[in-house]
Amino acid sequence: MSGASKPVDLPLFPLQTVLFPGGLLALKVFEARYLDMVSDCLRSGTPFGVVALLGGHEVRRAGESVQFESVGVLAELIDVDSAQPGILQLRCRGSTRFRLDTPRQQADGLW
């Protein structure tokens, strides 16, 4: 990203894949922290960040450390389907790259 921009809080979705600007990404969401994140994004009409994992797993494991790239891409929700209770099928489109400043993990595990 070029130019200075004001830091903002952005929910992150670390994955073992990369999302590029203009790229499409299908996700199956079942963890409570990400179900809540998607609900918040839908309500506010805001994207979330997708960052590639360097270490750790996509599914939260107690005591496991997670490392991810310092650059990610904003994911805009295109379609959300809840065919099964507690599971969301998402289609997202990558938009703008962003650089992580100081990632923080919440008590529920969401970055």
Side-chain angles (χ1 to χ4, degrees):
M1 255 174 152
S2 61
S5 60
K6 181 181 171 188
V8 295
D9 283 338
L10 177 69
L12 298 178
F13 205 129
L15 295 170
Q16 293 178 340
T17 190
V18 176
L19 177 62
F20 292 99
L24 297 177
L25 177 65
L27 295 171
K28 184 176 186 176
V29 177
F30 54 88
E31 285 189 72
R33 60 184 168 160
Y34 294 122
L35 292 170
D36 292 343
M37 178 195 77
V38 170
S39 294
D40 290 345
C41 290
L42 283 170
R43 261 194 308 279
S44 62
T46 56
F48 58 90
V50 173
V51 290
L53 278 169
L54 294 173
H57 293 87
E58 292 173 350
V59 177
R60 187 176 179 190
R61 296 179 181 177
E64 180 181 60
S65 67
V66 174
Q67 293 178 293
F68 37 81
E69 291 287 351
S70 61
V71 174
V73 170
L74 295 179
E76 298 173 347
L77 291 167
I78 298 171
D79 189 40
V80 178
D81 183 25
S82 61
Q84 296 175 282
I87 297 177
L88 292 177
Q89 299 284 347
L90 310 179
R91 282 190 56 229
C92 309
R93 178 178 297 117
S95 62
T96 309
R97 285 184 177 95
F98 64 87
R99 182 169 297 282
L100 292 175
D101 189 23
T102 314
R104 298 181 313 275
Q105 191 172 31
Q106 298 176 14
D108 65 358
L110 187 67
W111 287 94

